[in-house]
Amino acid sequence: MSIEFSRKAVIAMPDMIPKIKAEAKATLELIGYCERLIQLRQYEDWGNFDWAFMVTWANKVDEPFVKLMLSLSKHNYHYGAISMHKWWRRLKAVNQQHLIQYFTYVNFPPPERGKKLFWTELYEQCCKTNQVFIEMSTVFKDDKSVEMNLRAMLGCSQQKDLKEAWTAWAKQNHPDKGGSVERFVLVKAAYEEWQDAH
């Protein structure tokens, strides 16, 4: 939609202003998310990730992860992008994505030449206290928690086959069928994490 077209729409239908304003705000937010993703692709091996896949991170849930990876890269920390992505997926699968908010790179020692930062170091930094780290480490080691979380998201019983439950849920809740994109991405990430664990 061109600016001139929008201007004419506003003149003709002033009651549409709130809707146009909301759409413009959502578009600007999406552009901001995508700009950070474009910056991230210049670092590590993020450039090898499929762009269409990365765009699924252009939302409020994944934004802290993108900002964190960008911050690490800009401050010359080296890491494995695939490993970090798996770590983030696991955090989301066990509903602990909020932990990433506690991270600050300044608590790390200066980056050493050739030394890579592992997700475990990053994860420890994300936990406010050692107790939180110990509790969450137990959850990470327990793949049963990943399965339980997925079953809760899919709303299926302990007996139901998870592959069948996922297929049925995905068909019904796919964004093309009117389902929520953010919800679909979250559940898909939980399913992929369950697959990795098995």
Side-chain angles (χ1 to χ4, degrees):
M1 184 189 295
S2 71
I3 293 172
E4 195 52 45
F5 179 80
S6 300
R7 196 192 316 274
K8 286 176 181 174
V10 168
I11 292 167
M13 298 173 286
D15 55 318
M16 291 292 290
I17 289 174
K19 185 183 178 191
I20 293 170
K21 185 178 177 182
E23 287 177 1
K25 185 180 176 186
T27 302
L28 285 172
E29 282 180 2
L30 180 61
I31 288 168
Y33 295 145
C34 290
E35 278 180 337
R36 275 187 278 278
L37 286 170
I38 289 167
Q39 290 173 38
L40 186 61
R41 284 171 70 82
Q42 298 170 25
Y43 297 100
E44 300 300 326
D45 50 349
W46 294 112
N48 297 325
F49 276 64
D50 180 63
W51 174 244
F53 171 72
M54 287 187 79
V55 170
T56 63
W57 304 339
N59 60 70
K60 195 176 281 188
V61 173
D62 292 292
E63 181 68 353
F65 172 69
V66 174
K67 282 184 174 177
L68 173 55
M69 294 300 107
L70 200 49
S71 175
L72 286 172
S73 300
K74 285 180 177 177
H75 289 89
N76 299 315
Y77 287 96
H78 295 284
Y79 54 85
I82 292 171
S83 174
M84 291 297 185
H85 171 241
K86 283 191 173 182
W87 164 76
W88 174 239
R89 226 170 53 185
R90 172 59 68 92
L91 268 187
K92 289 200 296 185
V94 294
N95 286 325
Q96 294 297 327
Q97 58 265 33
H98 65 278
L99 289 179
I100 206 168
Q101 306 283 5
Y102 303 145
F103 175 83
T104 170
Y105 72 89
V106 295
N107 292 336
F108 279 109
E112 296 176 31
R113 183 185 290 260
K115 184 180 183 293
K116 276 199 172 184
L117 189 66
F118 288 98
W119 70 264
T120 45
E121 298 171 85
L122 183 64
Y123 168 54
E124 188 169 8
Q125 193 60 236
C126 282
C127 295
K128 269 189 170 177
T129 66
N130 194 46
Q131 185 59 34
V132 172
F133 177 67
I134 291 167
E135 287 172 10
M136 280 307 300
S137 295
T138 305
V139 171
F140 268 61
K141 287 174 185 171
D142 180 15
D143 286 324
K144 189 72 178 169
S145 65
V146 175
E147 181 178 325
M148 296 298 288
N149 176 61
L150 178 58
R151 285 189 183 279
M153 288 177 121
L154 295 173
C156 69
S157 67
Q158 296 294 318
Q159 289 73 37
K160 187 153 187 178
D161 181 76
L162 271 175
K163 287 183 181 177
E164 286 178 15
W166 156 252
T167 303
W169 186 93
K171 281 180 182 176
Q172 189 175 352
N173 295 278
H174 196 277
D176 290 348
K177 297 270 180 80
S180 161
V181 175
E182 285 196 10
R183 180 69 181 163
F184 189 85
V185 169
L186 280 174
V187 179
K188 186 172 185 287
Y191 178 69
E192 288 172 353
E193 190 59 43
W194 175 79
Q195 280 186 309
D196 282 353
H198 292 79

